[in-house]
Amino acid sequence: MASKVQLDLDHSKMKQGHHNGLLMPECYESLADHLPKLKAMEIREDDVLLCSFPKSGTHWMYRVIDMLQRGQVIYDKRTPDCTFLDIQRIERLVELDSPRLLVSHVPFDLLPQEAKDKRTKIVHVYRNPRAVLVSLCFQMAALEPDDEKWSIDKVADLMFAGKMPYSGWFNYMDKLHAYEKENPAQPILHVSYEEMTQNPLDTVKKLAEFLEKPGTPEMYAAIVEACSFKKQKESEESADPNQARLKFYRKGDMNDWKNYVTVAVNEKFEEVLKGRAGSCPFSAKY
């Protein structure tokens, strides 16, 4: 079988699926069929997993890691869609050349078993849940225009209740924290969106060290420049019109949420995050 670097993903076939209380997208098959295949998926020794809750900087981090893996500061034809474990055909992922950067939003307990067994490197990127909320509202409104349905207040209520895709930010973080406690030998690097924004060069260096893909200072600086929000937005949207339509890139401002989150919603965030700070370190951060 000829190896490939690009797999198609038919966005027109995507819909919301439900399985065992989990709400998440499905595309080519039902979640009942897909999730067991994902769990049993074969993992290669040089695979890297990029895990995140949606709207946390996944596409940005993907390009940085991909350039480090290949040692080239150019945009590869392969996109996050190619290795998006949640909805891509698992059978087709074997066609991809190594190294593979496998992308997923699924809760950590649903990741491939071999990733745990083989202690696959995992990069986890996360973001202030207030910013996640705002980004989700804009993307959902782009998909299904309805100012009232996708208001900040209404989506925030869903977020706090866990009635969102992937069971919501809080449940996702709890699953991650539990997974890490149960698998202390698993190499996991946590990188925040805010860290990437404020210290991009240091972030690239830290990623290179974790991935054991050392480069020169000039290469790291070139990656930072190539993966700036403006350049990446232009490159991704020109290559794939779906990126613009689905609002994958909007402003890239880590504090833009302050222009949309109401005082009442922010107070609720502070209350919930404070209450969880002792049990989940990712809540404590915010």
Side-chain angles (χ1 to χ4, degrees):
M1 179 183 296
S3 61
K4 299 180 180 180
V5 297
Q6 179 73 27
L7 296 180
D8 294 326
L9 186 63
D10 190 346
H11 288 271
S12 68
K13 293 184 178 180
M14 287 179 59
K15 59 182 180 180
Q16 292 296 330
H18 297 261
H19 183 62
N20 292 338
L22 178 67
L23 169 68
M24 61 175 275
E26 61 183 18
C27 190
Y28 299 113
E29 59 189 354
S30 70
L31 294 182
D33 291 329
H34 183 76
L35 291 176
K37 292 180 183 179
L38 172 57
K39 192 69 175 178
M41 176 183 171
E42 182 178 355
I43 296 296
R44 301 173 189 167
E45 295 298 332
D46 59 352
D47 283 340
V48 173
L49 279 169
L50 172 56
C51 300
S52 66
F53 189 76
K55 312 310 296 180
S56 298
T58 312
H59 285 70
W60 186 6
M61 181 62 78
Y62 178 92
R63 288 301 181 189
V64 172
I65 295 176
D66 178 64
M67 290 180 186
L68 287 171
Q69 279 185 314
R70 292 182 296 107
Q72 295 179 304
V73 189
I74 58 173
Y75 278 75
D76 189 56
K77 291 181 179 179
R78 191 182 297 182
T79 69
D81 278 355
C82 297
T83 60
F84 190 27
L85 300 182
D86 306 21
I87 52 180
Q88 185 60 266
R89 293 183 179 97
I90 300 300
E91 297 86 350
R92 293 205 64 197
L93 291 171
V94 298
E95 302 174 20
L96 293 174
D97 297 319
S98 291
R100 298 182 303 182
L101 176 54
L102 305 173
V103 180
S104 183
H105 297 318
V106 300
F108 272 61
D109 58 329
L110 299 180
L111 290 172
Q113 178 64 34
E114 284 198 1
K116 180 192 298 187
D117 297 340
K118 295 182 177 180
R119 298 180 181 177
T120 301
K121 290 181 185 292
I122 297 176
V123 176
H124 166 235
V125 59
Y126 62 105
R127 187 181 188 184
N128 188 325
R130 302 167 182 84
V132 170
L133 167 65
V134 171
S135 189
L136 279 170
C137 287
F138 275 95
Q139 185 171 51
M140 296 308 298
L143 290 169
E144 186 182 339
D146 187 331
D147 291 341
E148 183 177 349
K149 183 177 182 179
W150 304 118
S151 71
I152 295 293
D153 288 354
K154 288 193 174 182
V155 178
D157 287 341
L158 296 175
M159 193 171 190
F160 293 127
K163 298 178 179 178
M164 298 183 73
Y166 302 101
S167 299
W169 190 90
F170 299 100
N171 288 324
Y172 180 91
M173 291 300 176
D174 287 340
K175 290 286 185 81
L176 161 60
H177 187 44
Y179 180 93
E180 195 165 25
K181 288 177 65 177
E182 293 167 4
N183 302 279
Q186 183 98 37
I188 303 177
L189 178 66
H190 304 284
V191 182
S192 72
Y193 185 96
E194 294 76 25
E195 178 184 352
M196 292 165 63
T197 300
Q198 294 175 314
N199 301 296
L201 188 58
D202 288 343
T203 301
V204 172
K205 291 178 181 177
K206 183 164 68 173
L207 283 163
E209 180 179 347
F210 175 74
L211 298 170
E212 299 178 87
K213 296 290 184 180
T216 64
E218 292 76 16
M219 178 184 174
Y220 298 151
I223 290 177
V224 170
E225 175 65 18
C227 295
S228 68
F229 182 83
K230 180 179 180 181
K231 287 195 173 182
Q232 188 162 347
K233 184 176 188 292
E234 292 173 351
S235 177
E236 302 282 9
E237 291 184 353
S238 62
D240 180 5
N242 277 310
Q243 301 285 356
R245 181 178 66 84
L246 299 177
K247 298 289 185 183
F248 278 111
Y249 298 90
R250 196 170 63 85
K251 289 185 177 181
D253 182 348
M254 71 177 193
N255 291 314
D256 186 54
W257 63 267
K258 295 178 181 179
N259 296 319
Y260 300 96
V261 173
T262 63
V263 172
V265 169
N266 189 48
E267 289 178 347
K268 180 65 174 178
F269 267 113
E270 291 180 350
E271 175 188 350
V272 173
L273 290 168
K274 183 178 180 180
R276 301 173 78 260
S279 61
C280 182
F282 305 103
S283 294
K285 181 179 177 66
Y286 297 108

